[in-house]
Amino acid sequence: MDCALQTCQKRFLRRHYAEAIPASKVHHEATDIAVLGGGITGLASAYFLARGLSKAKITIFEASSRLGGWLDSKQIDVGTGNVVFEQGPRNLRPTVPNGIVTLDLVRDLDLEDRVLMTSKNSEAAQNRFIYYPDHPVRMPGPGSSFLKNVSTFFSEPVFKGTFSATLSEVTKPRRSEALRDESVGSFLSRRFGSALTDNVVSAVFHGIYAGDIYKLSARTILPSLWETEWRHHSIMRGMLGNLFGGLQPIANGDLEAVKDIQRQPPMSEKLERAKKSSVFTFKGGIGELAHRLEAKLSGNMNVTIERETYVREMKLKPNSTTTKVQIITKESSTHKIRSSDFTHVISTIPGDILAGIVLNSGDINLSPLQQTSAVTVMVVNLFFSNPSILPVHGFGYLLPRSLPFEQNPERALGVVFDSDASIGQDDVPGTKVTVMLGGHWWDDFDAYPDEDEGACMAKAILERHLGIDDEPGAVRVSLQRRCIPQYGIGHDERMEDVSHRLERLQGRLRVAGNSYTGVGLNDCVRAARDVVKGLIDGTGKTGLESFVGGKKWSWVKPDELRKN
């Protein structure tokens, strides 16, 4: 589609869908609100709604029997004590602004006494490894001398060819204006060469997205680098300018969130330390965040939680006074079908599922959401009674796409050294690790390994890579189906399209969650905050406003982001 046609299409969509609602009217009408999904985004959305609209009736619909979604911390009895196994996210980074938004929620939930921090000076923070080609390679950085870092960079095969490619980056022309998006792999290979991209970057993305860097969107996932290349004609030139007191890019929405945070009262001494930590979690695991939200919501008389209840259909129901949204649900246990009316709906379920629900309503077509795929990851937790079994210590190691097949026939993504990364969770000495398998490597699989096979694969990886042949005292295997959405090339423009389509519903349906604006836990909490803020103050109608017209940027001094 040529640029002129794209421009005409966007003008039509804005004109056809846009109908502003005064803020006071939105606030007044938001009396019965449905939240689809009881994962972390749904729970946080319901919590922010209950806090901001104290008189509103809020109903959470969750298809499964438990709340919390991918947050799933298990207390495991190993005979001599208990250990925490994380089957989903395991820690949080206090990034600005999303990580600080989560810390603010931690404060509001009175969870700070449960917080465990990992210092930036710890082994877990300073020792991060990539396995290549047949051993763990510590990434250069703090904790090693300058000479040691230089020696690693020039002696390890994982970095072969990256030095000259990095130096030559400043000589390469920036992308053409016609290039609207490209894959992370293509973008970084174009700027820095394939060696760094395939050996290092692909490993990092295995740890975050479990995805294929040659399918993931650079514009969506690396927006500041994408913008830096355009502004400075070079990523390195822009980064060096930032390093020596220059300006750094920040999305306008993020800058607004930073200013909101800076206006908040100072946090406690402990949470201020958490802001400066490498990562943080909770004594009982990351699932404590979901449990506390559930407890707060369960104690609120205006909140109803419907478990094991599927949303089958959703459609507008206009009448003489106002337009409501009719939701038809089915209970799993009784198969009872019910119909309920709501003034507003916030959907936090996967985007493709939402698109299927509204498909037959005739009110709206959200088919672009069906283009966002998701990968399946098998998580294998292992506990060994020997506390000295690891040959190296740190956060763990990741596996790049370029690793020889014989070193990774199981198609693992990485190994986390939990006993180093989350000190203080367990009441028994030993070594705790998590092996992550699958992701995009398993996209074409017709069937997945069962629990016994997954455990055997994890043990084979540990023996091959780390020389660990001890039998674990406890093993837990969990297959997380379609757990991480993949933001493919063109994601930003598809979300802009969806935002325009949602505007047709006049703010009655809004979306938030990991299908849209970020796959991390912090991203989900931030999305919940933003979608509720938009409903309450009338500044948003879809949850996807940040995509409309393309991301807007400000260039600020780094010190401006570190205030308070």
Side-chain angles (χ1 to χ4, degrees):
M1 185 181 293
D2 62 42
C3 292
L5 186 56
Q6 283 182 334
T7 301
C8 290
Q9 181 190 51
K10 289 178 181 178
R11 285 174 181 167
F12 166 77
L13 288 169
R14 289 193 187 101
R15 186 171 66 251
H16 183 65
Y17 290 130
E19 283 189 47
I21 300 178
S24 59
K25 184 177 179 182
V26 173
H27 189 286
H28 177 72
E29 289 184 348
T31 55
D32 294 284
I33 307 170
V35 176
L36 310 189
I40 186 60
T41 314
L43 292 174
S45 296
Y47 180 79
F48 291 135
L49 283 168
R51 189 176 66 177
L53 298 172
S54 59
K55 295 182 180 180
K57 301 293 184 182
I58 302 161
T59 303
I60 302 172
F61 293 105
E62 169 55 41
S64 71
S65 60
R66 59 174 290 273
L67 302 178
W70 302 118
L71 276 65
D72 194 6
S73 307
K74 302 291 188 185
Q75 291 280 345
I76 305 298
D77 185 352
V78 296
T80 55
N82 292 315
V83 299
V84 175
F85 278 173
E86 296 283 15
Q87 298 182 295
R90 62 201 61 250
N91 48 49
L92 294 156
R93 290 190 176 280
T95 52
V96 176
N98 294 4
I100 311 304
V101 171
T102 302
L103 274 175
D104 190 54
L105 177 61
V106 169
R107 170 173 63 179
D108 208 50
L109 293 171
D110 298 321
L111 268 174
E112 63 182 89
D113 64 316
R114 303 291 297 170
V115 170
L116 290 176
M117 292 168 276
T118 300
S119 165
K120 289 182 179 179
N121 296 321
S122 67
E123 287 184 314
Q126 296 186 346
N127 296 345
R128 294 172 183 267
F129 300 88
I130 287 177
Y131 192 91
Y132 186 89
D134 57 5
H135 61 279
V137 180
R138 182 189 178 279
M139 293 296 97
S144 284
S145 67
F146 174 76
L147 291 178
K148 177 64 175 176
N149 285 331
V150 170
S151 174
T152 298
F153 193 78
F154 285 103
S155 64
E156 288 290 350
V158 71
F159 295 115
K160 185 178 180 180
T162 60
F163 182 71
S164 58
T166 301
L167 288 180
S168 65
E169 191 272 340
V170 296
T171 68
K172 296 177 180 179
R174 72 177 180 182
R175 65 182 181 272
S176 72
E177 190 171 0
L179 184 60
R180 305 287 298 172
D181 197 3
E182 64 183 313
S183 73
V184 169
S186 170
F187 173 50
L188 294 180
S189 292
R190 179 167 58 80
R191 300 306 311 179
F192 296 100
S194 60
L196 178 67
T197 304
D198 291 344
N199 294 349
V200 178
V201 176
S202 71
V204 173
F205 275 73
H206 280 165
I208 301 171
Y209 292 91
D212 182 350
I213 58 171
Y214 288 96
K215 294 181 179 178
L216 295 169
S217 163
R219 179 180 169 186
T220 298
I221 297 174
L222 301 174
S224 62
L225 294 184
W226 183 260
E227 179 67 13
T228 297
E229 182 205 21
W230 184 254
R231 181 181 173 100
H232 294 282
H233 294 248
S234 160
I235 294 174
M236 289 302 298
R237 189 179 294 122
M239 293 176 69
L240 287 172
N242 297 344
L243 185 64
F244 293 103
L247 304 178
Q248 72 178 56
I250 181 170
N252 286 355
D254 290 344
L255 183 59
E256 180 184 344
V258 168
K259 291 179 179 178
D260 285 345
I261 291 166
Q262 290 172 347
R263 287 191 287 266
Q264 297 295 319
M267 293 187 178
S268 68
E269 181 182 348
K270 183 172 184 179
L271 292 186
E272 287 295 334
R273 284 190 287 115
K275 281 185 183 180
K276 300 172 183 176
S277 67
S278 173
V279 295
F280 67 93
T281 183
F282 304 98
K283 295 175 183 178
I286 209 74
E288 283 200 42
L289 183 60
H291 295 325
R292 184 61 61 90
L293 282 167
E294 180 181 353
K296 292 281 189 179
L297 292 168
S298 297
N300 189 320
M301 294 179 60
N302 287 335
V303 177
T304 301
I305 301 174
E306 300 283 358
R307 293 176 174 83
E308 297 186 271
T309 303
Y310 293 83
V311 175
R312 299 183 60 185
E313 190 177 345
M314 179 167 46
K315 56 186 178 182
L316 290 183
K317 189 178 179 182
N319 58 41
S320 58
T321 57
T322 186
T323 298
K324 290 195 174 184
V325 181
Q326 181 185 41
I327 291 181
I328 298 173
T329 59
K330 181 179 180 180
E331 295 180 7
S332 302
S333 56
T334 64
H335 303 292
K336 182 179 180 180
I337 296 176
R338 291 190 299 172
S339 174
S340 307
D341 294 344
F342 298 91
T343 59
H344 295 81
V345 177
I346 294 176
S347 175
T348 68
I349 61 178
D352 59 336
I353 295 178
L354 174 65
I357 290 171
V358 303
L359 183 62
N360 297 323
S361 70
D363 296 317
I364 190 171
N365 182 339
L366 300 181
S367 58
L369 295 179
Q370 295 176 320
Q371 296 184 48
T372 301
S373 62
V375 296
T376 295
V377 176
M378 178 169 276
V379 178
V380 185
N381 308 106
L382 306 99
F383 174 79
F384 300 88
S385 58
N386 184 352
S388 306
I389 202 170
L390 292 174
V392 293
H393 287 277
F395 192 85
Y397 65 92
L398 297 169
L399 306 175
R401 62 180 286 117
S402 54
L403 188 67
F405 178 79
E406 60 270 18
Q407 287 292 338
N408 188 24
E410 299 83 3
R411 292 312 195 190
L413 302 162
V415 178
V416 179
F417 301 160
D418 296 296
S419 46
D420 288 346
S422 302
I423 297 173
Q425 284 186 336
D426 308 326
D427 57 19
V428 58
T431 300
K432 185 173 62 174
V433 300
T434 300
V435 179
M436 298 168 291
L437 303 157
H440 74 97
W441 292 124
W442 290 3
D443 280 351
D444 297 326
F445 280 26
D446 295 325
Y448 300 112
D450 60 28
E451 291 188 10
D452 289 339
E453 292 168 336
C456 288
M457 293 164 74
K459 288 187 281 187
I461 290 164
L462 295 178
E463 183 172 1
R464 184 185 313 116
H465 293 173
L466 302 176
I468 298 174
D469 56 8
D470 291 24
E471 192 63 25
V475 180
R476 192 174 185 93
V477 181
S478 176
L479 186 67
Q480 310 286 16
R481 294 179 182 271
R482 303 183 73 251
C483 60
I484 306 178
Q486 303 292 288
Y487 299 162
I489 299 168
H491 179 81
D492 275 27
E493 292 189 341
R494 287 192 293 276
M495 295 306 102
E496 180 180 13
D497 183 6
V498 171
S499 187
H500 290 313
R501 295 174 187 230
L502 285 171
E503 286 179 11
R504 182 182 178 187
L505 301 184
Q506 303 176 19
R508 302 299 174 188
L509 172 62
R510 302 150 192 263
V511 298
N514 66 0
S515 290
Y516 312 104
T517 54
V519 303
L521 198 163
N522 285 333
D523 302 320
C524 292
V525 173
R526 164 76 185 282
R529 168 198 177 272
D530 287 355
V531 75
V532 171
K533 182 177 183 294
L535 190 156
I536 292 175
D537 63 20
T539 57
K541 295 187 293 182
T542 70
L544 301 176
E545 289 82 9
S546 63
F547 294 103
V548 177
K551 196 178 289 290
K552 307 299 190 301
W553 295 90
S554 294
W555 291 79
V556 301
K557 288 188 175 294
D559 288 346
E560 291 297 310
L561 305 181
R562 290 194 287 265
K563 289 180 180 178
N564 194 26

